[in-house]
Amino acid sequence: MKPSGSLKIDTFSMRIGDIEGVELDRLHAHSLAVGWPHRAEDWQFLRESGEGFVALDEIGRVLGSAMWFAHGADFATVGMVITSPRLQTLGAGQWLMKRVFEKVAGRDLRLNATRAARRLYLSLDFQPEKTVYQCQGIARLQTTGRPANIRGDVRILDASDIPAIIALDAAGFGVRRAALIERLFAHSAGYGLFKDDTLTAFALCRPFGRGHVVGPVVAQSDADALAVVRPHVAEHSGSFLRIDTHMDSGEFAAFLSHSGMPVFDTVLTMSLGKRLTDFAVGGATAPVTYALASQTLG
Ligand SMILES: CC(C)(COP(=O)(O)OP(=O)(O)OC[C@H]1O[C@@H](n2cnc3c(N)ncnc32)[C@H](O)[C@@H]1OP(=O)(O)O)[C@@H](O)C(=O)NCCC(=O)NCCS
């Protein structure tokens, strides 16, 4: 008998599991299925930095994921929320997020939403905040040498600078995330701008996805941010570099597009609970986050 041209497959059930025990290759395949650039090593880093759930089918394939990264007692970021393409719009995203909510109850939440996920997060009462510009490409530095307007000394950061980096990051991000910064530092090269021996700006850069990512970057002005980002761009000239930033205009944004890293995509920072402005230090010289650690980590 000739086989039919169509086949109806029954829906199947999924079980929830801890992301901890899952093989990295399976997580890697899961994010590749939605076109994300994460390597197995990037998943490993995220797993060491946070917690998460996976949705598994009967034979242990990963069909969904959601992670959270707690900082202190009152705050967490949420990320790596992915459902397998064939399952999307069937409620799996909602289901995973509800499970995350049970774990982060009482915390203020922040995440960066792709266009595909906005409706999901709006339905969970997240509020839109700011656009994130994902800037990436083959880096090229237009001018070499030290620009004339740097106020202070730029040098490579070492482990003795970590407390100052944590403090500056906390001022920009709004929440102290000491353990994460220490872990990022261990995987990164870093440049700092010092004025009278005080760290006033820094930029970390680490391997990620298709090449390297610069972030976090915290500074008090565009000029200071450029002073610490420029050396990373010079070092990675000719290779793939990425920066995720809230800056849409000004010297910093212009520098990125002139350095081979135009805007590739945008996501939307969203909050549940305290808004970004509630965390802001305020004042003209307050440190500002010029680049995120990543979209997942914020
Ligand atoms: C974003 C994503 C996780 C959503 O997962 P999902 O399993 O499709 O989510 P759900 O089925 O639970 O849908 C949640 C809500 O979004 C709506 N929705 C989902 N996909 C939609 C689409 N393509 N168009 C319109 N609405 C959509 C659903 O109707 C539902 O709305 P409701 O609560 O008002 O009924 C999934 O699409 C995905 O993995 N995308 C690729 C990776 C990604 O962008 N992740 C987000 C990271 S921030």
Side-chain angles (χ1 to χ4, degrees), residues 116-253:
R118 260 172 225 180
R119 189 163 147 186
L120 167 63
Y121 298 132
L122 284 172
S123 77
L124 296 168
D125 291 334
F126 280 84
Q127 302 295 313
E129 297 264 19
K130 278 183 182 173
T131 300
V132 176
Y133 300 88
Q134 178 180 337
C135 302
Q136 65 184 48
I138 304 301
R140 57 184 151 80
L141 200 57
Q142 296 291 32
T143 52
T144 50
R146 180 189 160 101
N149 60 351
I150 295 182
R151 297 165 301 135
D153 297 314
V154 176
R155 68 163 168 80
I156 292 174
L157 295 167
D158 61 40
S160 68
D161 299 311
I162 290 176
I165 298 169
I166 291 170
L168 204 53
D169 177 75
F173 189 75
V175 176
R176 198 177 144 82
R177 41 182 189 169
L180 176 64
I181 295 295
E182 279 184 37
R183 212 170 291 112
L184 285 167
F185 189 85
H187 287 77
S188 301
Y191 285 95
L193 176 68
F194 291 82
K195 294 177 189 168
D196 302 325
D197 286 334
T198 301
L199 183 73
T200 56
F202 76 86
L204 302 185
C205 178
R206 67 185 191 283
F208 174 81
R210 295 172 58 191
H212 281 74
V213 64
V214 181
V217 177
V218 181
Q220 292 167 330
S221 69
D222 282 21
D224 288 1
L226 288 182
V228 290
V229 165
R230 197 184 289 269
H232 290 301
V233 176
E235 271 165 25
H236 294 285
S237 210
S239 55
F240 184 87
L241 197 58
R242 167 174 171 172
I243 294 192
D244 293 279
T245 181
H246 284 129
M247 302 296 158
D248 60 348
S249 59
E251 221 186 322
F252 186 79

Side-chain angles (χ1 to χ4, degrees), residues 167-175 218 276-288:
L168 204 53
D169 177 75
F173 189 75
V175 176
V218 181
L276 283 186
T277 45
D278 300 323
F279 289 104
V281 179
T285 58
V288 171

Side-chain angles (χ1 to χ4, degrees), residues 1 8 21 28 34 38 58 77 85 130 150 213-214 216 265 288:
M1 195 175 73
K8 191 172 182 306
H28 186 206
V34 291
H38 299 69
E58 289 93 339
T77 60
K130 278 183 182 173
I150 295 182
V213 64
V214 181
D265 201 0
V288 171

